[in-house]
Amino acid sequence: MTDSSAAVTQPAPGIDERLVADALAAADAASEAAGCQVRPINALEHLEAVSRLFEGIWKPGGENSLVTTELLRAMDKAGNYVAAAFDGETLIGACIGFFGPPPHGALHSHIAGVAAKARGRNVGFALKAHQRSWALRRGATQVSWTFDPLVRRNAYFNIGKLAALPAEYLPNFYGRMNDGINGADDTDRLLVDWPLADADVAAACHGRHRVADAEAVRAAGAAVALDATAHGWPSPGPVTGPVTGPVTGSASGSASSSASGPATGSRVLVAVPEDIELLRRSDPECAAAWRSALRDTLGGLLVGGWQVTGFDRAGWYILMRKDA
């Protein structure tokens, strides 16, 4: 069971009560299926446990700290999202987010993580379903977050299972993190929007996930903008987007393009490696090549007027021209 109603007894003005009730039902079903309870937290012992959980997952190096107990305390007090998943009395996952500026009031989901012993149970999905219900009850209709577009399982989770919509490619967004997951790689991120009232999002939270079939799209004539060689290296194709070339980071950290080149067809496919985290450890040069290739290809296509419509868990982004 979830607890999405803490400190809020009625939905915010302008929010359909039926939408909120349906979101709560989806969240309850997700947590039950995952065998956990998701609820907002504010007790110091739980906030400390979240800080330890995140440290254990990301293993930041040096003096870096992913998130402190004091920051979590302040975030909760200011009315932001600080929630955890429990198996009995054991904290097994957590998710935190903060609100953006008015008038939009959208929630930005900053960090979510699940303990290794609880992975494979869909605890992360239960946390996101709870977050949606919690945000809707407070009047927010959109959540955003970022993820590493090279991590195949995360791309499938965010785009396929949650129906989030990629909005922007962000080169080296956080700078070098030197943690146990990112290593010394650039921290490129894909920003996604999650329209909470959207029918596809509602269906996804009820377990009706978005299905993408890259082979069918290729058979229908889609071009391959980025593929993998037989030895696992990136192999860019001829498609770079209708008005785009290589993508670089601007002063604001957003993507920009500087060249033009026509693209044929209305759909393209972009590949990612099977396990980029393993590749960073076993072949850093190859991992860096994938980072550069995906930045130029996927980033360039997004800048150039393409949109991601799905992700095949076999490792393919599927994109369509916005004017198609």
Side-chain angles (χ1 to χ4, degrees), residues 140-174:
T141 57
Q142 181 166 301
V143 176
S144 65
W145 64 89
T146 65
F147 72 92
D148 186 341
L150 278 173
V151 180
R152 185 184 291 193
R153 68 178 184 280
N154 287 352
Y156 174 71
F157 177 74
N158 292 314
I159 300 170
K161 292 191 71 171
L162 295 177
L165 305 173
E168 186 178 3
Y169 192 98
L170 304 170
N172 202 24
F173 186 57
Y174 293 111

Side-chain angles (χ1 to χ4, degrees), residues 26-294:
D28 283 344
S31 61
E32 183 176 355
C36 65
Q37 182 187 51
V38 183
R39 62 178 185 267
I41 57 172
N42 55 29
L44 279 175
E45 63 181 296
H46 293 150
L47 299 177
E48 289 168 353
V50 169
S51 181
R52 289 194 300 271
L53 172 70
F54 289 163
E55 296 283 319
I57 294 172
W58 275 271
K59 300 178 176 64
E63 299 299 318
N64 295 335
S65 180
L66 200 64
V67 60
T68 64
T69 302
E70 295 84 358
L71 177 60
L72 293 173
R73 185 71 147 173
M75 287 179 63
D76 169 69
K77 184 61 177 176
N80 294 293
Y81 183 74
V82 182
F86 292 86
D87 186 347
E89 296 300 315
T90 304
L91 191 147
I92 58 172
C95 184
I96 64 173
F98 47 83
F99 283 105
H104 305 293
L107 185 72
H108 183 77
S109 186
H110 183 46
I111 305 175
V114 175
K117 63 183 178 182
R119 289 174 195 162
R121 289 172 44 181
N122 289 316
V123 173
F125 181 75
L127 282 163
K128 297 303 289 186
H130 176 273
Q131 185 181 63
R132 174 174 177 258
S133 175
W134 183 95
L136 280 169
R137 185 169 286 275
R138 286 155 180 80
T141 57
Q142 181 166 301
V143 176
S144 65
W145 64 89
T146 65
F147 72 92
D148 186 341
L150 278 173
V151 180
R152 185 184 291 193
R153 68 178 184 280
N154 287 352
Y156 174 71
F157 177 74
N158 292 314
I159 300 170
K161 292 191 71 171
L162 295 177
L165 305 173
E168 186 178 3
Y169 192 98
L170 304 170
N172 202 24
F173 186 57
Y174 293 111
R176 184 167 291 187
M177 296 180 71
N178 292 319
D179 60 23
I181 291 179
N182 296 281
D185 194 8
D186 282 356
T187 54
D188 289 23
R189 294 293 182 263
L190 194 60
L191 176 70
V192 296
D193 293 331
W194 206 31
L196 303 184
D198 185 80
D200 286 345
V201 172
C205 287
H206 278 287
R208 299 187 294 274
H209 307 313
R210 181 186 290 165
V211 177
D213 188 340
E215 285 302 316
V217 172
R218 178 184 283 189
V224 177
L226 181 63
D227 203 346
T229 70
H231 298 290
W233 282 72
S235 176
V239 178
T240 57
V243 290
T244 140
V247 174
T248 58
S250 69
S252 63
S254 62
S256 61
S257 92
S258 57
S260 63
T264 58
S266 61
R267 291 190 179 185
V268 297
L269 299 172
V270 176
V272 292
E274 182 174 358
D275 189 340
I276 187 62
E277 292 164 331
L278 175 62
L279 199 58
R280 286 177 184 138
R281 297 190 295 271
S282 63
D283 192 342
E285 184 180 0
C286 182
W290 271 106
R291 175 66 79 202
S292 178
L294 192 68

